Coordinates of all heavy atoms in Angstrom, one line a residue:
M125 N -149.1 239.5 29.0 CA -147.9 239.4 29.6 C -146.9 240.4 28.8 O -146.8 240.2 27.6 CB -147.3 238.1 29.7 CG -145.9 238.0 30.3 SD -145.6 236.3 30.6 CE -143.9 236.5 31.3
P126 N -146.2 241.4 29.3 CA -145.4 242.3 28.6 C -144.1 241.5 28.1 O -143.6 240.5 28.7 CB -144.9 243.2 29.7 CG -145.7 243.0 30.9 CD -146.3 241.7 30.8
T127 N -143.8 241.8 26.9 CA -142.6 241.3 26.3 C -141.4 242.0 26.7 O -141.5 243.0 27.4 CB -142.7 241.5 24.7 OG1 -142.5 242.8 24.4 CG2 -144.1 241.0 24.2
P128 N -140.2 241.4 26.5 CA -138.9 242.0 26.9 C -138.7 243.3 26.3 O -138.0 244.2 26.7 CB -137.9 241.0 26.5 CG -138.6 239.8 26.3 CD -139.9 240.1 26.0
Y129 N -139.5 243.6 25.1 CA -139.3 244.8 24.4 C -140.4 245.9 24.8 O -140.4 247.0 24.2 CB -139.4 244.6 23.0 CG -138.3 243.8 22.4 CD1 -138.4 242.3 22.1 CD2 -136.9 244.2 22.2 CE1 -137.4 241.6 21.7 CE2 -135.9 243.5 21.8 CZ -136.2 242.1 21.6 OH -135.1 241.3 21.1
A130 N -141.2 245.7 25.8 CA -142.2 246.5 26.0 C -141.8 247.9 26.5 O -142.3 248.9 25.9 CB -143.2 245.9 27.1
A131 N -140.8 248.1 27.4 CA -140.3 249.3 27.7 C -139.7 250.0 26.6 O -139.8 251.3 26.4 CB -139.3 249.2 28.8
H132 N -139.0 249.3 25.8 CA -138.3 249.9 24.5 C -139.4 250.4 23.6 O -139.3 251.6 23.1 CB -137.5 248.7 23.8 CG -136.9 249.1 22.5 ND1 -135.8 249.9 22.5 CD2 -137.2 248.7 21.2 CE1 -135.5 250.0 21.2 NE2 -136.3 249.3 20.4
H133 N -140.5 249.7 23.3 CA -141.5 250.1 22.5 C -142.3 251.3 23.1 O -142.6 252.1 22.3 CB -142.5 248.9 22.2 CG -141.9 247.9 21.4 ND1 -142.3 246.5 21.5 CD2 -140.9 247.9 20.4 CE1 -141.6 245.8 20.6 NE2 -140.7 246.7 20.0
E134 N -142.4 251.4 24.4 CA -143.1 252.4 25.0 C -142.2 253.7 24.7 O -142.8 254.9 24.6 CB -143.3 252.3 26.5 CG -144.0 253.3 27.3 CD -145.3 253.8 26.7 OE1 -146.0 252.8 26.2 OE2 -145.5 254.9 26.5
R135 N -141.0 253.7 24.9 CA -140.1 254.9 24.8 C -140.1 255.4 23.3 O -140.3 256.6 23.0 CB -138.6 254.5 25.0 CG -138.3 254.5 26.6 CD -136.8 254.5 26.9 NE -136.2 253.3 26.2 CZ -136.1 252.2 26.8 NH1 -136.6 251.9 27.9 NH2 -135.4 251.1 26.2
I136 N -140.1 254.4 22.4 CA -140.3 254.8 20.9 C -141.7 255.4 20.7 O -141.8 256.4 19.9 CB -140.0 253.6 20.0 CG1 -138.6 253.2 20.1 CG2 -140.4 254.0 18.4 CD1 -138.2 251.9 19.5
S137 N -142.7 254.9 21.2 CA -144.1 255.4 21.1 C -144.1 256.7 21.7 O -144.7 257.6 21.0 CB -145.0 254.4 21.8 OG -146.3 254.9 21.7
A138 N -143.5 257.0 22.8 CA -143.5 258.3 23.4 C -142.9 259.4 22.5 O -143.3 260.5 22.4 CB -142.8 258.3 24.8
L139 N -141.8 259.0 21.9 CA -141.1 259.8 20.9 C -142.0 260.3 19.7 O -142.2 261.4 19.4 CB -139.8 259.2 20.3 CG -139.2 259.9 19.1 CD1 -137.9 260.4 19.6 CD2 -139.1 259.0 17.9
F140 N -142.7 259.3 19.2 CA -143.7 259.6 18.1 C -144.9 260.4 18.6 O -145.4 261.2 18.0 CB -144.1 258.3 17.4 CG -143.0 257.8 16.4 CD1 -142.5 256.6 16.7 CD2 -142.5 258.6 15.4 CE1 -141.4 256.1 15.9 CE2 -141.5 258.1 14.6 CZ -141.0 256.8 14.9
R141 N -145.3 260.1 19.8 CA -146.4 261.0 20.3 C -146.0 262.5 20.4 O -146.7 263.3 20.2 CB -147.0 260.5 21.8 CG -147.9 259.2 21.6 CD -148.6 258.9 22.9 NE -147.7 258.8 24.1 CZ -147.1 257.7 24.4 NH1 -147.3 256.6 23.7 NH2 -146.3 257.6 25.5
A142 N -144.7 262.7 21.0 CA -144.2 264.0 21.2 C -144.2 264.7 19.7 O -144.4 265.9 19.7 CB -142.9 263.9 21.8
L143 N -143.8 264.0 18.7 CA -143.7 264.5 17.5 C -144.9 264.6 16.7 O -145.0 265.2 15.5 CB -142.6 263.8 16.6 CG -141.2 263.9 17.1 CD1 -140.3 262.9 16.2 CD2 -140.6 265.4 17.0
S144 N -146.1 264.2 17.2 CA -147.4 264.0 16.4 C -148.0 265.3 16.3 O -148.8 265.5 15.4 CB -148.2 263.0 17.2 OG -148.7 263.6 18.4
A145 N -147.8 266.4 17.1 CA -148.5 267.7 17.0 C -147.7 268.5 15.9 O -146.5 268.6 15.9 CB -148.5 268.4 18.3
P146 N -148.3 269.1 14.9 CA -147.7 269.9 13.9 C -146.8 270.9 14.5 O -145.8 271.2 13.9 CB -148.9 270.4 13.0 CG -150.0 269.4 13.2 CD -149.7 268.9 14.6
T147 N -147.3 271.7 15.6 CA -146.4 272.7 16.1 C -145.2 272.2 16.7 O -144.2 272.8 16.5 CB -147.3 273.5 17.1 OG1 -148.4 274.1 16.5 CG2 -146.4 274.7 17.8
R148 N -145.3 271.1 17.3 CA -144.1 270.5 17.8 C -143.1 270.0 16.8 O -141.9 270.1 17.0 CB -144.4 269.4 18.8 CG -145.1 269.8 20.1 CD -145.1 268.7 21.2 NE -145.9 267.6 20.8 CZ -147.3 267.5 21.2 NH1 -147.8 268.4 21.8 NH2 -147.8 266.3 21.0
L149 N -143.6 269.5 15.7 CA -142.9 269.1 14.6 C -142.1 270.3 14.0 O -141.0 270.2 13.7 CB -143.7 268.3 13.6 CG -143.0 267.7 12.4 CD1 -141.9 266.7 13.0 CD2 -143.9 266.8 11.6
A150 N -142.9 271.4 13.9 CA -142.3 272.5 13.4 C -141.2 273.2 14.3 O -140.2 273.6 13.8 CB -143.4 273.6 13.2
I151 N -141.3 273.1 15.5 CA -140.3 273.5 16.5 C -139.1 272.6 16.4 O -138.0 273.2 16.2 CB -140.9 273.4 17.9 CG1 -141.9 274.4 18.2 CG2 -139.7 273.5 19.0 CD1 -142.6 274.2 19.5
V152 N -139.2 271.4 16.2 CA -138.0 270.5 16.0 C -137.4 270.8 14.7 O -136.2 270.8 14.5 CB -138.4 269.0 16.0 CG1 -137.3 268.1 15.6 CG2 -138.9 268.6 17.5
E153 N -138.1 271.0 13.6 CA -137.6 271.4 12.4 C -136.7 272.7 12.4 O -135.7 272.8 11.9 CB -138.7 271.5 11.3 CG -139.2 270.3 10.7 CD -140.2 270.5 9.6 OE1 -141.0 271.5 9.8 OE2 -140.1 269.8 8.6
L154 N -137.3 273.7 13.2 CA -136.6 275.0 13.4 C -135.3 274.8 14.1 O -134.2 275.3 13.7 CB -137.4 275.9 14.3 CG -138.6 276.5 13.6 CD1 -139.7 277.2 14.5 CD2 -138.2 277.6 12.6
L155 N -135.3 273.9 15.1 CA -134.1 273.6 15.8 C -133.0 272.7 15.0 O -131.9 272.9 15.2 CB -134.4 272.9 17.1 CG -135.2 273.8 18.2 CD1 -135.6 272.8 19.4 CD2 -134.4 274.9 18.6
V156 N -133.5 272.0 14.2 CA -132.6 271.3 13.2 C -131.9 272.3 12.3 O -130.8 272.3 12.1 CB -133.5 270.1 12.4 CG1 -132.5 269.7 11.2 CG2 -133.8 269.0 13.2
A157 N -132.7 273.3 11.8 CA -132.2 274.3 10.9 C -131.3 275.3 11.5 O -130.3 275.7 11.0 CB -133.3 274.9 10.2
H158 N -131.7 275.7 12.7 CA -131.0 276.8 13.4 C -130.0 276.4 14.7 O -129.5 277.2 15.2 CB -132.0 277.9 13.9 CG -132.8 278.5 12.8 ND1 -132.1 279.5 12.0 CD2 -134.0 278.2 12.4 CE1 -133.1 279.7 11.0 NE2 -134.2 279.1 11.2
H159 N -130.2 275.1 15.0 CA -129.3 274.6 16.2 C -129.8 275.0 17.5 O -129.9 274.1 18.3 CB -127.8 274.8 15.9 CG -127.3 274.3 14.6 ND1 -127.2 273.0 14.3 CD2 -127.0 275.0 13.5 CE1 -126.8 272.8 13.1 NE2 -126.6 274.0 12.6
Q160 N -130.1 276.2 17.8 CA -130.6 276.7 18.9 C -131.4 278.0 18.7 O -131.0 278.8 18.0 CB -129.6 276.8 20.0 CG -128.5 277.8 19.8 CD -127.4 277.8 21.0 OE1 -127.3 276.8 21.6 NE2 -126.9 278.9 21.3
L161 N -132.4 278.1 19.5 CA -133.2 279.3 19.3 C -133.7 279.8 20.7 O -134.1 278.9 21.6 CB -134.6 279.1 18.5 CG -134.2 278.9 17.0 CD1 -135.4 278.4 16.3 CD2 -133.7 280.1 16.4
H162 N -133.9 281.1 21.0 CA -134.5 281.7 22.1 C -136.1 281.3 22.0 O -136.6 281.2 20.9 CB -134.4 283.1 22.2 CG -133.0 283.5 22.6 ND1 -132.6 283.7 24.0 CD2 -132.0 283.7 21.9 CE1 -131.4 284.1 23.9 NE2 -130.9 284.0 22.7
V163 N -136.8 281.4 23.1 CA -138.2 281.0 23.0 C -138.9 282.1 22.2 O -139.8 281.7 21.4 CB -138.8 281.0 24.4 CG1 -140.3 281.0 24.4 CG2 -138.2 279.9 25.3
H164 N -138.6 283.3 22.4 CA -139.3 284.4 21.5 C -139.0 284.1 20.0 O -140.0 284.5 19.3 CB -138.9 285.8 21.9 CG -137.5 286.1 21.5 ND1 -137.1 286.7 20.4 CD2 -136.4 286.0 22.2 CE1 -135.9 287.0 20.3 NE2 -135.3 286.6 21.5
E165 N -138.0 283.6 19.6 CA -137.7 283.3 18.2 C -138.6 282.1 17.7 O -139.1 282.1 16.5 CB -136.2 282.9 17.9 CG -135.3 284.1 18.2 CD -133.8 283.7 18.1 OE1 -133.5 282.7 18.8 OE2 -133.1 284.5 17.5
I166 N -138.8 281.1 18.6 CA -139.7 280.0 18.3 C -141.1 280.5 18.1 O -141.9 280.1 17.3 CB -139.6 278.9 19.3 CG1 -138.1 278.3 19.3 CG2 -140.6 277.8 19.1 CD1 -137.8 277.4 20.4
V167 N -141.5 281.4 19.0 CA -142.8 281.9 19.0 C -143.1 282.7 17.7 O -144.1 282.5 16.9 CB -143.1 282.9 20.2 CG1 -144.4 283.7 20.1 CG2 -143.2 282.0 21.5
E168 N -142.1 283.5 17.2 CA -142.2 284.3 16.1 C -142.3 283.4 14.9 O -143.1 283.6 14.0 CB -141.1 285.3 16.0 CG -141.1 286.4 16.9 CD -139.8 287.2 16.8 OE1 -139.1 287.2 15.8 OE2 -139.6 287.9 17.8
A169 N -141.5 282.3 14.9 CA -141.4 281.5 13.7 C -142.6 280.6 13.5 O -143.0 280.3 12.4 CB -140.0 280.6 13.8
T170 N -143.2 280.1 14.6 CA -144.3 279.3 14.5 C -145.6 280.0 14.4 O -146.6 279.5 13.9 CB -144.4 278.2 15.7 OG1 -144.6 279.1 16.9 CG2 -143.2 277.4 15.7
G171 N -145.6 281.2 15.0 CA -146.9 282.0 14.9 C -147.9 281.6 16.1 O -148.9 282.0 16.2
A172 N -147.4 280.6 16.9 CA -148.2 280.1 18.1 C -148.0 281.0 19.2 O -147.0 281.6 19.4 CB -147.8 278.7 18.4
P173 N -149.1 281.2 20.1 CA -149.0 282.0 21.2 C -147.9 281.6 22.2 O -147.6 280.3 22.2 CB -150.4 281.9 21.8 CG -151.2 281.4 20.8 CD -150.5 280.6 19.8
Q174 N -147.3 282.4 23.0 CA -146.3 282.1 23.9 C -146.7 280.9 24.8 O -145.8 280.0 25.0 CB -146.0 283.3 24.7 CG -145.0 283.1 25.9 CD -143.5 283.0 25.6 OE1 -143.1 283.7 24.6 NE2 -142.8 282.2 26.2
T175 N -147.9 281.0 25.3 CA -148.2 279.9 26.3 C -148.3 278.5 25.6 O -147.9 277.5 26.1 CB -149.6 280.3 27.1 OG1 -150.7 280.6 25.9 CG2 -149.5 281.5 27.9
L176 N -148.9 278.5 24.4 CA -149.0 277.3 23.6 C -147.5 276.8 23.3 O -147.3 275.7 23.4 CB -149.9 277.5 22.4 CG -150.1 276.2 21.6 CD1 -150.8 275.2 22.4 CD2 -150.9 276.6 20.3
T177 N -146.7 277.6 22.9 CA -145.4 277.3 22.5 C -144.7 276.6 23.7 O -143.9 275.6 23.6 CB -144.6 278.5 22.0 OG1 -145.3 279.0 20.8 CG2 -143.1 278.2 21.7
S178 N -144.9 277.2 24.9 CA -144.2 276.8 26.1 C -144.7 275.4 26.5 O -144.1 274.6 26.9 CB -144.6 277.7 27.3 OG -143.9 278.9 27.1
Q179 N -146.0 275.2 26.2 CA -146.6 273.8 26.5 C -146.0 272.8 25.5 O -145.6 271.7 26.1 CB -148.2 273.9 26.3 CG -148.9 274.6 27.4 CD -150.4 274.8 27.1 OE1 -150.9 274.2 26.2 NE2 -151.0 275.6 27.9
H180 N -145.8 273.2 24.3 CA -145.2 272.2 23.2 C -143.8 272.0 23.7 O -143.3 270.8 23.6 CB -145.3 272.8 21.9 CG -146.7 272.7 21.2 ND1 -147.4 271.5 21.2 CD2 -147.6 273.6 20.8 CE1 -148.6 271.7 20.6 NE2 -148.7 273.0 20.3
L181 N -143.1 273.0 24.1 CA -141.7 272.8 24.5 C -141.6 271.9 25.7 O -140.7 271.1 25.8 CB -140.9 274.1 24.7 CG -140.7 275.0 23.4 CD1 -140.3 276.5 23.8 CD2 -139.6 274.4 22.7
R182 N -142.5 272.0 26.5 CA -142.5 271.1 27.8 C -142.7 269.7 27.4 O -142.0 268.8 27.8 CB -143.6 271.6 28.8 CG -143.5 270.8 30.1 CD -144.6 271.3 31.1 NE -145.2 272.4 30.3 CZ -145.9 273.5 30.6 NH1 -146.1 273.7 31.5 NH2 -146.4 274.3 29.9
V183 N -143.5 269.4 26.5 CA -143.8 268.1 26.0 C -142.5 267.6 25.2 O -142.1 266.4 25.6 CB -144.9 268.0 25.0 CG1 -145.0 266.6 24.2 CG2 -146.2 268.2 25.7
L184 N -141.9 268.5 24.5 CA -140.6 267.9 23.8 C -139.5 267.7 24.8 O -138.6 266.9 24.7 CB -140.2 269.0 22.7 CG -141.1 269.2 21.6 CD1 -140.7 270.4 20.8 CD2 -141.0 267.9 20.7
R185 N -139.4 268.5 26.0 CA -138.5 268.4 27.0 C -138.7 267.1 27.7 O -137.7 266.3 28.0 CB -138.5 269.5 28.0 CG -137.7 270.7 27.6 CD -137.4 271.6 28.8 NE -138.3 271.5 29.9 CZ -139.3 272.3 30.1 NH1 -139.8 273.1 29.2 NH2 -140.0 272.2 31.2
H186 N -139.9 266.8 28.1 CA -140.2 265.5 28.8 C -140.1 264.3 27.9 O -139.7 263.2 28.6 CB -141.8 265.6 29.2 CG -141.8 266.5 30.4 ND1 -143.1 266.7 31.0 CD2 -141.0 267.5 31.0 CE1 -143.0 267.6 31.9 NE2 -141.8 268.1 32.0
A187 N -140.1 264.4 26.6 CA -139.9 263.3 25.7 C -138.3 263.2 25.4 O -137.9 262.4 24.6 CB -140.5 263.5 24.4
R188 N -137.5 264.2 26.0 CA -136.1 264.2 25.9 C -135.6 264.5 24.5 O -134.6 264.0 23.9 CB -135.4 263.0 26.4 CG -135.7 262.9 27.9 CD -135.0 261.7 28.5 NE -135.3 260.5 28.0 CZ -134.9 259.2 28.3 NH1 -134.2 259.2 29.3 NH2 -135.4 258.1 27.7
L189 N -136.4 265.3 23.7 CA -136.1 265.7 22.4 C -135.4 267.1 22.4 O -134.6 267.3 21.4 CB -137.3 265.8 21.6 CG -138.0 264.4 21.4 CD1 -139.4 264.6 20.5 CD2 -137.1 263.4 20.6
V190 N -135.6 267.9 23.3 CA -134.9 269.2 23.3 C -134.4 269.4 24.7 O -134.8 268.9 25.7 CB -135.9 270.4 23.0 CG1 -136.4 270.2 21.6 CG2 -137.0 270.5 24.0
D191 N -133.4 270.3 24.8 CA -132.7 270.7 26.0 C -133.1 272.2 26.2 O -133.1 272.9 25.2 CB -131.2 270.6 26.0 CG -130.7 269.1 26.1 OD1 -131.5 268.3 26.7 OD2 -129.7 268.8 25.5
R192 N -133.2 272.6 27.5 CA -133.5 274.0 27.8 C -132.2 274.6 28.5 O -131.7 274.0 29.4 CB -134.7 273.9 28.8 CG -135.1 275.2 29.3 CD -136.3 274.9 30.3 NE -137.0 276.1 30.6 CZ -136.8 276.8 31.6 NH1 -136.1 276.5 32.6 NH2 -137.5 277.9 31.8
I193 N -131.9 275.7 28.0 CA -130.6 276.3 28.5 C -131.0 277.8 29.0 O -131.4 278.7 28.1 CB -129.6 276.4 27.4 CG1 -129.2 275.1 26.9 CG2 -128.2 277.1 27.9 CD1 -128.6 275.0 25.5
P194 N -130.8 278.1 30.2 CA -131.0 279.5 30.7 C -130.1 280.4 29.9 O -128.9 280.1 29.9 CB -130.8 279.4 32.1 CG -130.9 278.0 32.6 CD -130.4 277.2 31.3
A195 N -130.6 281.5 29.6 CA -129.7 282.6 28.9 C -130.2 284.0 29.3 O -131.0 284.6 28.7 CB -129.9 282.4 27.4
G196 N -129.7 284.3 30.5 CA -130.0 285.6 31.1 C -131.5 285.5 31.5 O -131.9 284.6 32.2
R197 N -132.3 286.5 30.9 CA -133.7 286.4 31.3 C -134.6 285.7 30.2 O -135.8 285.6 30.3 CB -134.2 288.0 31.2 CG -133.7 288.8 32.3 CD -134.0 290.2 32.2 NE -135.4 290.4 32.1 CZ -136.1 291.5 32.1 NH1 -135.4 292.6 32.3 NH2 -137.4 291.6 31.9
S198 N -133.9 285.0 29.4 CA -134.7 284.2 28.4 C -134.2 282.8 28.5 O -133.4 282.4 29.4 CB -134.2 284.7 27.0 OG -135.0 284.0 26.1
V199 N -134.7 282.0 27.6 CA -134.2 280.6 27.6 C -134.0 280.1 26.2 O -134.7 280.7 25.2 CB -135.5 279.6 28.1 CG1 -135.1 278.3 28.1 CG2 -135.7 280.0 29.6
V200 N -132.9 279.4 25.9 CA -132.6 278.9 24.6 C -132.9 277.4 24.6 O -132.7 276.7 25.6 CB -131.1 279.1 24.3 CG1 -130.7 278.5 23.1 CG2 -130.9 280.6 24.3
Y201 N -133.5 276.9 23.4 CA -133.7 275.6 23.3 C -132.8 275.0 22.1 O -132.6 275.7 21.2 CB -135.2 275.3 23.0 CG -136.1 275.3 24.1 CD1 -136.6 276.6 24.6 CD2 -136.3 274.3 24.9 CE1 -137.3 276.7 25.7 CE2 -137.1 274.3 26.1 CZ -137.6 275.6 26.4 OH -138.4 275.7 27.5
R202 N -132.4 273.8 22.3 CA -131.7 273.1 21.2 C -132.1 271.6 21.3 O -132.7 271.1 22.3 CB -130.1 273.2 21.5 CG -129.7 272.5 22.7 CD -128.2 272.6 22.9 NE -127.9 271.7 24.1 CZ -126.8 272.0 24.8 NH1 -125.9 272.8 24.4 NH2 -126.5 271.2 25.9
L203 N -131.8 270.9 20.2 CA -132.1 269.4 20.1 C -131.2 268.8 21.2 O -130.0 269.0 21.4 CB -131.6 268.9 18.8 CG -132.5 269.4 17.6 CD1 -132.1 268.6 16.4 CD2 -134.0 269.0 17.9
A204 N -131.8 267.7 21.9 CA -131.1 267.0 22.9 C -130.1 266.0 22.3 O -129.1 265.7 22.9 CB -132.2 266.3 23.8
D205 N -130.3 265.7 21.1 CA -129.4 264.6 20.5 C -129.4 264.9 19.0 O -130.5 265.1 18.4 CB -129.9 263.2 20.7 CG -128.9 262.2 20.4 OD1 -128.5 262.0 19.2 OD2 -128.6 261.3 21.2
P206 N -128.3 264.8 18.3 CA -128.3 265.2 16.9 C -129.0 264.0 16.1 O -129.5 264.3 14.9 CB -126.8 265.1 16.4 CG -126.1 264.8 17.6 CD -126.9 264.8 18.8
Q207 N -129.3 262.9 16.6 CA -129.9 261.8 16.0 C -131.5 262.2 15.7 O -132.0 261.5 14.8 CB -129.9 260.5 16.7 CG -128.5 259.9 16.8 CD -128.5 258.6 17.6 OE1 -129.2 257.6 17.2 NE2 -127.7 258.6 18.6
I208 N -131.9 263.1 16.4 CA -133.3 263.5 16.3 C -133.4 264.1 14.8 O -134.5 264.0 14.2 CB -133.7 264.5 17.3 CG1 -133.7 263.9 18.7 CG2 -135.1 265.2 17.0 CD1 -133.7 264.8 19.9
A209 N -132.3 264.9 14.4 CA -132.3 265.5 13.0 C -132.4 264.3 12.0 O -133.2 264.5 11.0 CB -131.1 266.3 12.8
A210 N -131.8 263.2 12.3 CA -131.8 262.0 11.2 C -133.3 261.5 11.3 O -133.7 261.0 10.2 CB -130.8 261.0 11.7
I211 N -133.9 261.4 12.4 CA -135.3 260.9 12.4 C -136.2 261.8 11.5 O -137.0 261.3 10.7 CB -135.9 260.8 13.9 CG1 -135.0 259.7 14.6 CG2 -137.3 260.5 13.9 CD1 -135.3 259.8 16.2
L212 N -136.1 263.0 11.7 CA -136.9 264.0 11.0 C -136.5 263.9 9.5 O -137.5 263.9 8.6 CB -136.6 265.5 11.5 CG -137.5 266.5 10.9 CD1 -138.9 266.2 11.2 CD2 -137.1 267.9 11.4
A213 N -135.2 263.8 9.2 CA -134.8 263.7 7.8 C -135.4 262.4 7.1 O -135.8 262.4 5.9 CB -133.3 263.7 7.7
A214 N -135.4 261.3 7.9 CA -136.0 260.1 7.4 C -137.5 260.2 7.0 O -137.9 259.8 6.0 CB -135.7 258.9 8.4
A215 N -138.1 261.0 7.9 CA -139.6 261.2 7.7 C -139.8 262.1 6.5 O -140.7 261.8 5.7 CB -140.2 261.8 9.0
V216 N -139.0 263.1 6.3 CA -139.2 264.0 5.1 C -138.9 263.2 3.9 O -139.5 263.3 2.9 CB -138.2 265.1 5.3 CG1 -138.1 265.9 3.9 CG2 -138.6 266.1 6.4
Q217 N -137.8 262.3 3.9 CA -137.5 261.6 2.7 C -138.7 260.5 2.4 O -139.1 260.3 1.3 CB -136.2 260.7 3.0 CG -135.8 260.0 1.8 CD -134.4 259.3 2.1 OE1 -133.8 259.4 3.2 NE2 -134.0 258.6 1.0
F218 N -139.2 260.0 3.4 CA -140.3 259.0 3.3 C -141.5 259.7 2.5 O -142.2 259.1 1.7 CB -140.7 258.4 4.6 CG -141.8 257.4 4.5 CD1 -141.6 256.1 4.1 CD2 -143.1 257.8 4.8 CE1 -142.6 255.2 4.0 CE2 -144.2 256.9 4.7 CZ -143.9 255.5 4.3
F219 N -141.9 260.9 3.0 CA -143.0 261.5 2.5 C -142.8 262.5 1.3 O -143.6 263.0 0.7 CB -143.8 262.4 3.6 CG -144.5 261.4 4.6 CD1 -143.9 261.2 5.8 CD2 -145.6 260.9 4.2 CE1 -144.6 260.3 6.7 CE2 -146.3 260.0 5.1 CZ -145.8 259.7 6.4
G220 N -141.5 262.7 1.1 CA -141.1 263.7 0.0 C -141.1 265.1 0.4 O -141.7 265.4 1.5
D221 N -140.5 265.9 -0.3 CA -140.4 267.3 -0.1 C -141.7 268.0 -0.3 O -142.4 267.9 -1.3 CB -139.4 267.9 -1.1 CG -139.1 269.4 -0.8 OD1 -139.6 269.9 0.3 OD2 -138.2 270.0 -1.4
P222 N -142.2 268.8 0.7 CA -143.5 269.4 0.5 C -143.6 270.4 -0.5 O -144.6 270.9 -0.9 CB -143.9 269.9 2.0 CG -142.5 270.2 2.5 CD -141.6 269.1 2.0
G223 N -142.4 271.0 -0.9 CA -142.5 272.1 -1.9 C -142.5 271.6 -3.2 O -143.1 271.5 -4.1

């Protein structure tokens, strides 16, 4: 029998699944650092192919972690909520600085 918190736990689980891929995590880190980026800038920074980057961005959009903003012939992405940066900062603090 589902608990009253089942839907709540499912949303949190979906957030962590969306952040579980290293490329998606790198995209979120880039958006934390730069606030918003064009798709081609994300492709260049991650080194991932355009098609794979688009797939990762779609997962992040569906998880409501990033927003998509049309910008002429391109698209700009930004974090959907500033609290996402706090989640990332907590993870970095937990594991320590990689450098």
Side-chain angles (χ1 to χ4, degrees):
M125 178 171 183
T127 69
Y129 297 102
H132 175 74
H133 291 150
E134 182 55 38
R135 285 190 302 271
I136 293 170
S137 178
L139 170 112
F140 286 115
R141 278 193 308 272
L143 292 173
S144 68
T147 300
R148 290 194 294 268
L149 189 54
I151 291 168
V152 171
E153 284 184 318
L154 286 166
L155 294 174
V156 167
H158 299 282
H159 305 289
Q160 63 181 33
L161 291 169
H162 288 268
V163 173
H164 69 88
E165 294 172 314
I166 295 170
V167 169
E168 288 173 19
T170 62
Q174 169 83 36
T175 54
L176 184 58
T177 300
S178 293
Q179 290 172 5
H180 284 304
L181 286 165
R182 188 175 0 207
V183 170
L184 292 170
R185 273 195 343 268
H186 288 185
R188 297 185 299 189
L189 296 176
V190 300
D191 288 329
R192 180 179 194 261
I193 306 158
R197 294 176 50 174
S198 185
V199 176
V200 172
Y201 284 87
R202 68 176 180 201
L203 294 180
D205 189 307
Q207 292 183 59
I208 297 162
I211 293 167
L212 188 61
V216 169
Q217 183 177 4
F218 181 80
F219 288 105
D221 187 359

